Amino acid sequence: MITSEEVYKIGRIGKTHGVKGEVSFQFDDDIFDRVDADYLVLDIDGILVPFFMEEYRFRNDSVCLVKFCDIDTQQRASELTGCDVYFPRALAEESDEAPSLAGLVGFDIVEASTGTSVGRIAAIDDSTINVLFELEDGRLIPAIDDLVDSIDMHNKTITMTLPEGLLEIDN
């Protein structure tokens, strides 16, 4: 059984496309294209289920059309509409690619100068040009390369050198 700790959300299934079982897939992270992945994980009524991809093609930089194996009709494809789509962390970690922002949700941020945990990333706010790590306690940390010292994929930690006083700012 696939657990939520083993995957991270990369998008959502939209409406069906055509009558042969294709669906539109609105994605935030194209890791499935950058890493050799045969399957995506869909949340079906709270259960994480792997679906093997037969083929996919991009419509633009945030939507592609996906044909999953054994989904051959519009009716079967419509059952997937609205499902959240996840990607296996293990496949992303094996890649030589830099980790995607979405893949960092759940990581702990560690202050480099003290070695203490600042908090766990609950979400990524990329609604503006200034991307932010949103911590579980609601604090916001700038997701700037210059502040990141290292990322430990195995221990799920990000060591950062944070500007003095940043953690005392009320969000």
Side-chain angles (χ1 to χ4, degrees):
M1 185 162 139
I2 300 172
T3 65
S4 59
E5 290 79 28
E6 296 174 290
V7 295
Y8 65 96
K9 185 176 175 184
I10 61 169
R12 184 177 201 92
I13 299 294
K15 60 185 178 180
T16 61
H17 181 80
V19 295
K20 304 269 187 194
E22 275 188 319
V23 292
S24 65
F25 168 38
Q26 300 154 350
F27 58 90
D28 302 319
D29 186 343
D30 67 350
I31 187 78
F32 65 95
D33 187 51
R34 294 181 285 126
V35 173
D36 189 23
D38 296 328
Y39 67 96
L40 296 173
V41 178
L42 275 60
D43 184 338
I44 308 289
D45 297 327
I47 299 171
L48 297 173
V49 181
F51 279 79
F52 287 85
M53 294 182 288
E54 198 171 293
E55 63 182 3
Y56 62 89
R57 64 185 189 279
F58 290 92
R59 293 194 80 182
N60 57 44
D61 60 356
S62 64
V63 176
C64 71
L65 299 176
V66 179
K67 170 73 174 73
F68 290 110
C69 296
D70 301 323
I71 305 293
D72 297 324
T73 65
Q74 185 177 15
Q75 181 180 357
R76 294 275 324 269
S78 68
E79 296 170 7
L80 304 178
T81 298
C83 289
D84 287 333
V85 179
Y86 295 84
F87 193 78
R89 287 186 188 276
L91 290 178
E93 291 170 5
E94 290 173 4
S95 167
D96 291 336
E97 296 280 331
S100 66
L101 286 173
L104 299 177
V105 172
F107 278 51
D108 285 315
I109 293 181
V110 175
E111 167 54 52
S113 64
T114 63
T116 59
S117 176
V118 172
R120 180 165 292 172
I121 300 172
I124 306 294
D125 180 352
D126 60 357
S127 61
T128 66
I129 196 165
N130 299 313
V131 178
L132 301 168
F133 294 132
E134 184 177 326
L135 303 183
E136 290 175 342
D137 63 7
R139 291 184 292 172
L140 301 172
I141 305 289
I144 302 170
D145 286 342
D146 292 345
L147 299 180
V148 176
D149 294 333
S150 65
I151 299 175
D152 184 339
M153 297 299 287
H154 180 70
N155 292 316
K156 296 184 180 174
T157 59
I158 302 171
T159 303
M160 298 181 75
T161 302
L162 301 174
E164 190 174 324
L166 177 71
L167 299 176
E168 285 76 42
I169 297 173
D170 289 333
N171 291 319

